[in-house]
Amino acid sequence: MDTSRPRGIVVFGGGTATNSLVDVFENIRESRNCSLSYIIPISDNGGSSSELIRVFGGPGIGDIRSRLVRLIPGSETDAERASIKDLFNHRLSSDPLQARLQWLDIVEGRDELWTNISSEKRELIRSVFNLVNMEIVKRVRPSSVFNFSKASIGNLFLTGARVFTGSLESAIYLLSTICCIPPTVSALPAINSNFTHHISAGLADGTQITGQNSISHPSAPTALPSDDDEHTRGEMEEHDRIEDATLPGSLPTLRKQYIDFSKAAEEDLPARVQRIWYINPYGHEIWPLANPKVLDAVRRAGAVIYSIGSLYTSIVPSLVLRGVGAALADAGVRYKVLILNSSVDRETGPRASPLTATDFVRAIARAAAESQGNFAVDERGKGEARRYVTHLIYLEDEGAPKVNKDELGAMGVDCIRVYGRRVEGMLWYDEKGLARALEAVIGKPEVLRSRRNTSGQ
């Protein structure tokens, strides 16, 4: 291991929520002069990614694209970088016909989104767009036409680059280069694969929900069909008549379009989530190996951060992969910090009995243990929990998960409360207060013994 540079920082998280903390993580990385790696799952099968998966197959790349574009440096002052950010963040119209026309204008270089982008970058990007457009046309069948509704331009680019190179990591490298992301920062897919990977959730009442979109958003319970499930067999036969990239006999819930869904006013799950696991297209459990670069990043890290966001669809899918738990438990990874969500969502409900901070810690410890084949771990024990979570940073609010410091302390987890700021009635982390808390843990551990409230307020 190279000892000339401090051990790096690894952040586990998904898309939107973690994007709001990117500046905090970058400032800490810069002050420590170390590497920063974002570990992002590829199991998302909702939104425009669902249509790309249906037609092209391959991993869910929406959160990876979102992070790469968020990491573009200097987009506030550099006109070209601002235009590149707008281009790759752009979504087409919700009307499929209008969206297709918008897409063709972009492919042909006529759309105003190209303003301020240099000719050499424009033609490089357009070459990938032309390729993916040709592939879309090639895949048209009477039973299957690509739906451009709400399509993400950045997702289309990553898909085209992956199809051209035959490599997900090469596609990410190309987009990172175009976005001028420095080599000290990386966005790593939890699994480096050209194949689609789906997850299932097991609830406390025995219900099984299949597919990430169904876990995060209201849907009917979806389990393996039984031999006498006539409706499911009929649905399978209907989907098998459609010529797309999914294998015949795949579970219907994994073959559907989920372009339209709402993140607001979501229905509760019938019971708490107990476990997350990966499945093949037929619903059978599989145990994928983590991206080797993810394992290397964790082993070289001095600090691991579990970011805010969806616990069971943004963090746990990365932790249950083979190799991750063992890497996290390594003594060299000294600090393992959970930044607790400031509110309860569908995955951490139901609202009548929401998860507490202790439950968050146990879920992380359980997932990391399961990645090592240990399905009978007692995550309540002090030694077990602290192997994967050493510190918890939290906001105190009526709608936030409850924090029992004595209970967590007995598990070996130090708790640090910070103050936040209200935005449209919601309590958000204050960037300066959160940065001070993280620096107290990662950079100045002695501060923890003298002052638990590091907000400076």
Side-chain angles (χ1 to χ4, degrees), residues 38-42 64 168-169 172 187-193 291 294:
Y38 291 96
I39 313 303
I40 303 170
I42 61 165
I64 296 173
L168 174 59
E169 63 179 358
I172 293 171
L188 301 175
I191 304 171
N192 182 30
S193 174
N291 181 351
V294 167

Side-chain angles (χ1 to χ4, degrees), residues 72-95:
I72 296 176
S75 58
E76 297 82 7
T77 56
D78 187 295
E80 181 178 60
R81 293 182 184 182
S83 292
I84 290 174
K85 189 172 189 174
D86 289 342
L87 174 67
F88 289 130
N89 267 338
H90 184 72
R91 286 192 180 274
L92 300 176
S93 168
S94 59
D95 177 76

Side-chain angles (χ1 to χ4, degrees), residues 124-435:
L124 173 60
I125 297 168
R126 282 188 62 242
S127 68
V128 176
F129 287 162
N130 274 298
L131 171 70
V132 74
N133 189 62
M134 180 185 69
E135 292 294 333
I136 287 172
V137 174
K138 282 170 56 178
R139 287 166 167 76
V140 170
R141 297 291 186 274
S143 61
S144 175
V145 176
F146 187 85
N147 187 347
F148 284 98
S149 175
K150 297 184 180 180
S152 162
I153 297 301
N155 290 359
L156 284 161
F157 179 88
L158 270 179
T159 298
R162 181 184 64 81
V163 170
F164 174 71
T165 62
S167 166
L168 174 59
E169 63 179 358
S170 294
I172 293 171
Y173 173 76
L174 179 58
L175 184 55
S176 299
T177 302
I178 292 172
C179 292
C180 302
I181 297 172
T184 51
V185 183
S186 58
L188 301 175
I191 304 171
N192 182 30
S193 174
N194 274 321
F195 298 98
T196 306
H197 284 74
H198 291 291
I199 57 174
S200 274
L203 308 189
D205 66 354
T207 301
Q208 179 177 326
I209 301 179
T210 302
Q212 177 169 318
N213 188 75
S214 298
I215 298 168
S216 297
H217 308 288
S219 63
T222 52
L224 287 176
S226 60
D227 292 337
D228 59 353
D229 192 339
E230 186 175 344
H231 172 75
T232 302
R233 290 202 308 274
E235 200 173 10
M236 281 185 175
E237 291 177 6
E238 182 180 340
H239 281 288
D240 283 345
R241 296 190 188 100
I242 300 173
E243 294 183 67
D244 54 25
T246 53
L247 293 172
S250 299
L251 290 180
T253 189
L254 302 180
R255 305 181 68 167
K256 296 178 180 178
Q257 296 173 330
Y258 295 104
I259 294 173
D260 292 303
F261 60 84
S262 173
K263 295 185 178 181
E266 293 179 340
E267 301 171 10
D268 272 352
L269 290 172
R272 285 186 175 189
V273 177
Q274 279 196 328
R275 183 173 173 247
I276 294 290
W277 64 92
Y278 282 86
I279 57 171
N280 64 19
Y282 311 112
H284 305 135
E285 183 171 1
I286 58 174
W287 295 270
L289 180 68
N291 181 351
K293 291 185 177 179
V294 167
L295 300 180
D296 185 61
V298 174
R299 293 187 187 109
R300 292 173 176 268
V304 166
I305 299 171
Y306 307 105
S307 185
I308 58 174
S310 302
L311 172 65
Y312 286 112
T313 56
S314 293
I315 295 177
V316 170
S318 297
L319 302 184
V320 298
L321 295 169
R322 282 189 294 142
V324 173
L328 286 169
D330 188 275
V333 188
R334 186 173 180 183
Y335 307 109
K336 300 145 194 180
V337 186
L338 169 60
I339 305 176
L340 191 65
N341 292 345
S342 62
S343 62
V344 175
D345 58 15
R346 172 177 159 90
E347 296 178 20
T348 52
R351 279 169 285 189
S353 178
L355 266 62
T356 65
T358 302
D359 294 322
F360 273 75
V361 172
R362 289 173 177 169
I364 289 171
R366 186 164 56 249
E370 288 179 3
S371 81
Q372 302 167 77
N374 186 355
F375 293 88
V377 64
D378 182 7
E379 68 276 359
R380 294 169 297 179
K382 178 175 180 178
E384 186 61 31
R386 191 171 173 83
R387 293 178 72 196
Y388 310 110
V389 182
T390 60
H391 297 81
L392 179 136
I393 297 175
Y394 70 99
L395 294 168
E396 196 167 83
D397 191 52
E398 183 178 354
K402 303 304 178 186
V403 178
N404 186 326
K405 291 189 286 187
D406 292 336
E407 190 174 50
L408 288 162
M411 297 168 65
V413 179
D414 290 326
C415 299
I416 309 163
R417 177 189 172 189
V418 298
Y419 290 100
R421 54 188 175 87
R422 291 209 174 271
V423 179
E424 298 179 352
M426 292 287 295
L427 189 63
W428 290 43
Y429 279 96
D430 175 74
E431 291 187 3
K432 291 182 179 179
L434 178 59

Side-chain angles (χ1 to χ4, degrees), residues 101 104-114 126:
L101 294 176
L104 292 176
D105 277 348
I106 292 171
V107 172
E108 294 169 4
R110 296 184 297 177
D111 194 276
E112 62 181 12
L113 286 167
W114 293 109
R126 282 188 62 242

